[in-house]
Amino acid sequence: MATATGPRPTGPEASRKPREALRPRTWPGRLWGSTIGKKAVMAVSGLIMLLYLVVHMLANLKIFFGAADFNGYAHWLRTVGEPFLHHEWFLWSARLVLLAAVTAHAVSAYQLSRLDRAARPQRYVHRRRRASYATRTMRWGGVILGLFVVWHVLDLTTLTVNERAAPGRPYENVVATFSTWYGNTVYLAAMLALGLHVRHGFWSAAQTLGAGRARRDRVLKATANVLAAVLTLGFVSVPVGVMTGLVG
């Protein structure tokens, strides 16, 4: 039946316009709206966090050189860029970049997981063991690490849950944390989860960004294993040092 505005379109033309109206017009919107774009965001944000972890681990190892070196480094972080930058501006800039990377990584991971479930609402009769293991490791590892970040900030940044902590004494605060059974338990469990997350995450990021080739697979897998092992051992060495008396 015709109306004052003309006949109502039917068929493919009826659904084409609503879809086109919802489609992002800018290239960042189109990138984020695609599965490949979300994977790219997840890969790049993951590499940013990996770079931070390497630097953070190396900084943590300064604790083995004594309180003066460790506390001096912590003070230096707050004065980087002075007098061009104000006190702690560099530190807060780094924190904001890291927060943006963590947020982008978590949101893209969540949305990709939703898209994956929507694409196959029924479970496979025979699960693919490797894919299933990797998915579970990344998903639960991400949750564990997210909770640990909250704990870590409350423990050594705001000093909320560190009963024996004192402002301006990072060396002593680290020793106080790892002098408790719960501090060691939380940290060691999180670092094991971190190792597994980095091992699979580095490999996935390389594939997403196009670095994966048949000739490079062995090198990429070896690099992922070495990175995961070095980061895990580097971070774990600090609480072990406190527990064994090498630190403190």
Side-chain angles (χ1 to χ4, degrees):
M1 178 179 178
T3 62
T5 57
R8 179 178 300 174
T10 58
E13 295 181 356
S15 58
R16 186 180 304 159
K17 290 184 178 180
R19 284 200 299 267
E20 291 178 351
L22 294 174
R23 190 175 300 168
R25 295 183 179 182
T26 61
W27 72 263
R30 291 194 298 271
L31 178 68
W32 177 251
S34 66
T35 301
I36 295 176
K38 294 181 192 300
K39 288 183 177 180
V41 170
M42 191 173 179
V44 172
S45 60
L47 292 177
I48 292 173
M49 290 187 290
L50 179 60
L51 177 62
Y52 165 79
L53 288 171
V54 172
V55 174
H56 190 47
M57 181 206 69
L58 293 174
N60 281 3
L61 295 179
K62 293 180 73 66
I63 201 168
F64 290 99
F65 295 93
D69 276 14
F70 193 76
N71 290 343
Y73 169 75
H75 174 73
W76 172 80
L77 279 178
R78 288 160 172 76
T79 60
V80 173
E82 292 184 353
F84 179 73
L85 298 177
H86 286 285
H87 188 69
E88 293 192 353
W89 273 25
F90 172 82
L91 185 60
W92 277 104
S93 297
R95 286 171 175 170
L96 290 175
V97 171
L98 185 62
L99 178 62
V102 170
T103 303
H105 198 75
V107 172
S108 56
Y110 173 75
Q111 292 192 1
L112 284 170
S113 178
R114 291 287 300 270
L115 290 173
D116 182 61
R117 290 185 180 183
R120 50 178 183 85
Q122 294 182 350
R123 293 184 177 180
Y124 294 114
V125 177
H126 300 288
R127 287 186 175 181
R128 294 174 295 178
R129 184 175 60 181
R130 183 176 178 275
S132 178
Y133 167 78
T135 301
R136 290 198 304 270
T137 299
M138 294 298 287
R139 184 177 301 159
W140 288 109
V143 172
I144 291 171
L145 292 173
L147 294 174
F148 170 74
V149 168
V150 176
W151 166 269
H152 200 49
V153 170
L154 293 175
D155 184 27
L156 292 175
T157 302
T158 65
L159 310 180
T160 305
V161 297
N162 197 337
E163 297 178 355
R164 291 181 289 177
R169 302 176 63 189
Y171 180 93
E172 291 77 5
N173 296 341
V174 170
V175 172
T177 290
F178 297 132
S179 297
T180 62
W181 68 266
Y182 55 85
N184 288 320
T185 302
V186 170
Y187 194 86
L188 292 175
M191 292 308 100
L192 293 176
L194 174 67
L196 293 173
H197 204 78
V198 167
R199 180 176 178 271
H200 181 71
F202 180 84
W203 167 256
S204 298
Q207 301 300 313
T208 299
L209 298 177
R213 296 291 187 274
R215 296 179 180 179
R216 302 175 188 168
D217 281 356
R218 184 174 298 179
V219 174
L220 289 173
K221 289 179 180 178
T223 303
N225 290 334
V226 170
L227 271 174
V230 169
L231 285 172
T232 302
L233 292 175
F235 281 118
V236 164
S237 67
V238 177
V240 171
V242 174
M243 286 187 287
T244 57
L246 291 175
V247 177

